[in-house]
Amino acid sequence: MDKQAFLKVFTQLKEELIGDFQKLPGLSDALKEQLTTYYTQCLETTVPGGKMTRGLTVVRGVEVLKGRALTEQELFDASVLGWQVEWLQAFFLVADDIMDGSITRRGSPCWYKHAHVTQDNGINDALFLENLIYKSLRRHFKKHPSYVQLLELFIDTTHQTEVGQHIDTNGTPYANGKRAPLDLSRFTLDRYRGCVRYKTSYYSFYLSCALSLAYCEVPEDSDMYQKANDVCMRLGEYFQIQDDYLDAFAPPEVLGKIGTDIEDAKCSWMVCQALSLADEEQKEVLKKHYGKHDPAGVAKVKELYKELGLERVYSEYEEEQKKECDALIASIEPESFQDLFKFLLGKIYKRSK
C-alpha cells in the first residue's frame, strides 16, 4: 500500500472524529467551531508527517497473513488499525516532548511549542489523542470477532510503554523537586535494555504485528504471537540504539529534531558504551558535563564519544545485529510470516533519521 492511499484513510478518520464535536449536547455553535478548528490543526500536525512505518506494518502484516491481495474492506480495516498505532505514537510523542522539554519534532516546532497551544493545552491534547484511538476502534471494529483482543492490545501496549517512559525519565531520579546529582553508576546496560523493551519495542514493533494476527483471527494461544514477540524485542533494541546514536551524531536538519539525550541525562546506549570504555580522566568529562543544558558541555561529551570510537563501535554493532536479526527471522515458521519481519528490518537497517 502506498503512503498516499494510506493518508486518505487518515483524512476519513479525522473527519469522523472532528464531526463528533457537532453531536455534543449543550455546546453552542461557537464552542463547537472552536473545538473543530483547534483539533483539526492538532490532528493534522501531530498524527501524520512521520515515516508511518508502524501503521503500514499492520497493512503489510494482514497481506502476509492472508497470502493474497486484500479486498477493499480488508485493506480499509487494516489501514484503520494502522492509523490507531500512529495515533498512539502521536499521543506518546506529544507527551514525551513536554517531559523532555524538546524544541522540534519532524523538522517543526513541537506541538506544545506552538504559540496557541503551550504546555497546558499540550498535556490535555496528549490525553485527547489517546482517547480518539478507542473512539475509532469502537466505530469500526465493535462487531469484529477480535474487538476485545484489539482493545486489550492497545491497553497493554500503552501500559508497557508508560512503564518504559518512567524508567527512561528516571535514569537520573528527582529529589526535592529537581534532578538528583548525576550518578553514573545508574547508567547500566541492564537498565537500558529494560527501558528499551518497554518504551520502544512493544509499541514500535510488536503492536503492529499482533494487531495483524488478531485482525486475521489467529487464536491468542498461537505460538505466532511469541515468535513475533521474540523478533520484535530484538528489532526494538536495534531501533532504539540507532535512535541514541542518531541523537548524538545526526544533524538536526536530517534527524528532524534536536537531540537532547545528553542534556536530559538519559540512560542511552551511547553513555553506557562510553562508561565501559572510558578511563578515569574521561569519566570526569562525563561527570562534569553530562546532564547539563550547556551547549559547550554537550559538545565536549560528543567529542568524548568520538574520541572513544563510538562511531566505529556502533557500526560494528549494527552489522552484527543485522546478522542476528536475519538468523532469527529465518527460523520463523510458517516461512511466509518471515516476510513481515524482513519488511520491518528493511525499513530500519542503516536508517539516517
Side-chain angles (χ1 to χ4, degrees):
M1 185 178 199
D2 65 72
K3 289 186 178 181
Q4 287 308 116
F6 190 57
L7 281 165
K8 286 181 180 178
V9 178
F10 164 75
T11 300
Q12 178 176 333
L13 295 171
K14 178 194 70 176
E15 290 173 353
E16 290 171 350
L17 293 163
I18 294 299
D20 288 342
F21 288 129
Q22 301 304 317
K23 304 170 188 173
L24 294 176
L27 293 182
S28 66
D29 289 344
L31 282 174
K32 290 177 181 178
E33 181 61 29
Q34 175 183 321
L35 288 164
T36 296
T37 300
Y38 181 88
Y39 280 107
T40 296
Q41 183 183 1
C42 175
L43 298 190
E44 291 175 349
T45 302
T46 62
V47 182
K51 296 182 287 293
M52 300 183 286
T53 299
R54 295 169 183 82
L56 289 167
T57 297
V58 180
V59 180
R60 180 63 179 149
V62 174
E63 289 173 340
V64 166
L65 291 164
K66 293 289 185 182
R68 55 167 171 77
L70 301 185
T71 66
E72 187 175 334
Q73 186 62 50
E74 288 168 343
L75 188 59
F76 176 75
D77 287 348
S79 299
V80 171
L81 284 175
W83 276 113
Q84 302 324 299
V85 184
E86 295 294 327
W87 242 277
L88 187 68
Q89 159 88 334
F91 154 50
F92 290 149
L93 294 186
V94 169
D96 192 56
D97 285 342
I98 295 171
M99 286 184 266
D100 289 348
S102 298
I103 306 299
T104 58
R105 170 70 63 181
R106 296 170 177 166
S108 299
C110 297
W111 175 244
Y112 83 100
K113 284 291 187 182
H114 287 236
H116 70 297
V117 180
T118 74
Q119 182 173 301
D120 293 349
N121 274 310
I123 293 169
N124 187 60
D125 295 341
L127 299 172
F128 191 76
L129 287 165
E130 181 192 20
N131 173 259
L132 296 184
I133 296 167
Y134 299 98
K135 288 179 70 67
S136 287
L137 286 173
R138 182 175 62 190
R139 193 190 318 270
H140 292 283
F141 295 99
K142 191 172 184 179
K143 295 182 180 179
H144 191 279
S146 300
Y147 177 55
V148 172
Q149 187 183 355
L150 296 172
L151 288 176
E152 289 179 342
L153 280 168
F154 278 98
I155 292 167
D156 291 345
T157 303
T158 302
H159 178 258
Q160 290 159 339
T161 307
E162 288 169 353
V163 167
Q165 181 64 39
H166 174 85
I167 298 170
D168 183 47
T169 301
N170 292 278
T172 297
Y174 287 86
N176 300 317
K178 59 183 180 180
R179 289 278 185 196
L182 186 69
D183 180 2
L184 293 176
S185 69
R186 292 175 65 88
F187 297 149
T188 65
L189 283 174
D190 176 66
R191 168 179 283 273
Y192 179 76
R193 289 194 175 103
C195 177
V196 169
R197 183 183 187 94
Y198 282 88
K199 186 187 175 189
T200 302
S201 299
Y202 286 114
Y203 101 88
S204 290
F205 292 91
Y206 179 70
L207 176 60
S208 297
C209 299
L211 288 172
S212 302
L213 290 165
Y215 175 75
C216 293
E217 299 180 53
V218 175
E220 289 187 69
D221 60 358
S222 168
D223 66 352
M224 291 177 75
Y225 289 93
Q226 186 58 51
K227 290 174 181 176
N229 182 81
D230 292 344
V231 178
C232 289
M233 294 306 105
R234 177 63 62 88
L235 289 172
E237 181 175 312
Y238 171 31
F239 178 83
Q240 187 59 54
I241 289 172
Q242 281 181 320
D243 240 29
D244 293 354
Y245 173 81
L246 293 170
D247 187 277
F249 289 125
E253 60 271 18
V254 174
L255 190 58
K257 63 180 180 178
I258 299 170
T260 60
D261 283 359
I262 295 170
E263 295 95 321
D264 294 335
K266 291 297 179 73
C267 179
S268 76
W269 184 80
M270 300 294 287
V271 76
C272 289
Q273 293 297 322
L275 286 167
S276 71
L277 296 169
D279 59 29
E280 290 306 311
E281 183 178 342
Q282 290 168 324
K283 286 179 182 178
E284 284 301 317
V285 174
L286 291 172
K287 289 177 184 177
K288 184 175 180 180
H289 299 292
Y290 202 76
K292 294 179 180 175
H293 288 261
D294 169 35
V298 170
K300 283 182 167 41
V301 173
K302 290 183 179 181
E303 285 171 16
L304 176 61
Y305 287 169
K306 290 182 178 179
E307 182 182 321
L308 292 169
L310 291 193
E311 291 171 294
R312 174 187 53 78
V313 172
Y314 170 75
S315 180
E316 291 173 355
Y317 164 84
E318 182 168 46
E319 293 309 314
E320 183 61 31
Q321 196 72 356
K322 173 69 163 56
K323 291 178 185 176
E324 292 183 10
C325 286
D326 283 339
L328 189 56
I329 291 169
S331 71
I332 289 176
E333 293 182 357
E335 191 173 335
S336 60
F337 197 35
Q338 296 176 15
D339 290 344
L340 176 58
F341 304 104
K342 290 175 182 176
F343 168 80
L344 275 171
L345 182 57
K347 287 286 185 181
I348 64 174
Y349 179 56
K350 290 195 177 295
R351 69 188 176 99
S352 60
K353 62 179 181 179

